[in-house]
Amino acid sequence: MIKLTGLSKKYGKTFVVQDADALFPKGEVTSIIGPNGAGKSTLLSMASRLTESDAGEVVIGDKLLAQWDTKELAKHLAVLRQSNNINMRFTIRELVSFGRFPHSGGRLTTEDNEIIDQALGHLGIEEIQNKYLDQLSGGQRQMAFIAWWWHKIPTMCSWMSL
C-alpha cells in the first residue's frame, strides 16, 4: 500500500499540487485522471522520491518514504514514465535485465533470468528480445519498458494480464 497525505509542491508562488491525499492499495490498479498541467506526474514523482515535496508525507507499506533505504526501496517501487529516452544502444533483454539490478546487484542469477523470461513472455516480446530499442516501433518499445517495470516487482504485478 502507498498512502499520500497532504502532499504539496509549488514552484515560486504557484502550487502545482496542493494538499493532495491518495491511497494506492497493493495489488490493485489505480488511475489518476486530470487535464494536462494538473500535477499528476508531479504527485507521482513526489510519491516515488523523484521530486521532493514541500509538505505532506508518503507512506509505503508501513514506513515513511524518507525512512526507506534507497536500495531496498528499489526492490519495492518502480516508475514507468510517459516517455523514456535512452541514449545508449540496448536490446530489449538488456533493458529488462537492468530491472533486476536491485535484486541481483548486477550479477544475474538463474532465478533472475527466469523472471526476465517470464516478463518477456507475459508481454509477448520474447521473439524480439534481441532487437535494439532503436529498431522497435513505438508500441514495441513501450512493451519493453513495461517488461522492465513488470518484473522488477513481480509480486506486486502478478495481477497484470495483457
Side-chain angles (χ1 to χ4, degrees):
M1 171 198 65
I2 300 174
K3 184 178 180 180
L4 315 178
T5 307
L7 278 185
S8 294
K9 180 69 179 175
K10 64 180 181 175
Y11 294 102
K13 294 181 181 182
T14 305
F15 277 97
V16 179
V17 174
Q18 187 172 13
D19 200 28
D21 298 333
L23 180 64
F24 303 96
K26 184 176 180 177
E28 293 187 22
V29 176
T30 305
S31 296
I32 301 174
I33 301 170
N36 292 340
K40 301 178 298 292
S41 295
T42 301
L43 181 73
L44 293 175
S45 291
M46 289 187 291
S48 59
R49 206 161 65 185
L50 295 175
T51 299
E52 191 173 330
S53 66
D54 294 324
E57 67 180 23
V58 176
V59 176
I60 298 178
D62 59 354
K63 288 197 283 191
L64 287 170
L65 183 60
Q67 295 173 330
W68 280 89
D69 170 73
T70 300
K71 288 182 182 179
E72 192 60 29
L73 181 63
K75 294 178 184 178
H76 297 274
L77 183 67
V79 177
L80 180 61
R81 302 193 59 91
Q82 290 174 9
S83 61
N84 301 286
N85 297 316
I86 293 182
N87 294 326
M88 298 178 72
R89 198 152 199 245
F90 295 118
T91 65
I92 292 174
R93 185 167 190 91
E94 289 169 334
L95 171 72
V96 175
S97 297
F98 288 130
R100 293 303 300 164
F101 188 83
H103 303 275
S104 68
R107 295 190 172 151
L108 296 176
T109 65
T110 300
E111 179 186 6
D112 291 316
N113 279 303
E114 288 172 0
I115 292 170
I116 292 165
D117 290 340
Q118 288 172 2
L120 295 168
H122 191 78
L123 289 154
I125 56 175
E126 65 269 43
E127 290 183 17
I128 60 171
Q129 66 181 296
N130 295 314
K131 281 192 165 189
Y132 289 98
L133 295 176
D134 62 0
Q135 297 174 316
L136 305 176
S137 70
Q140 290 172 324
R141 192 174 304 116
Q142 198 64 353
M143 293 296 266
F145 279 101
I146 291 170
W148 164 83
W149 174 81
W150 179 83
H151 84 283
K152 278 184 63 112
I153 316 167
T155 55
M156 285 181 63
C157 301
S158 61
W159 51 264
M160 264 185 83
S161 76
L162 300 172

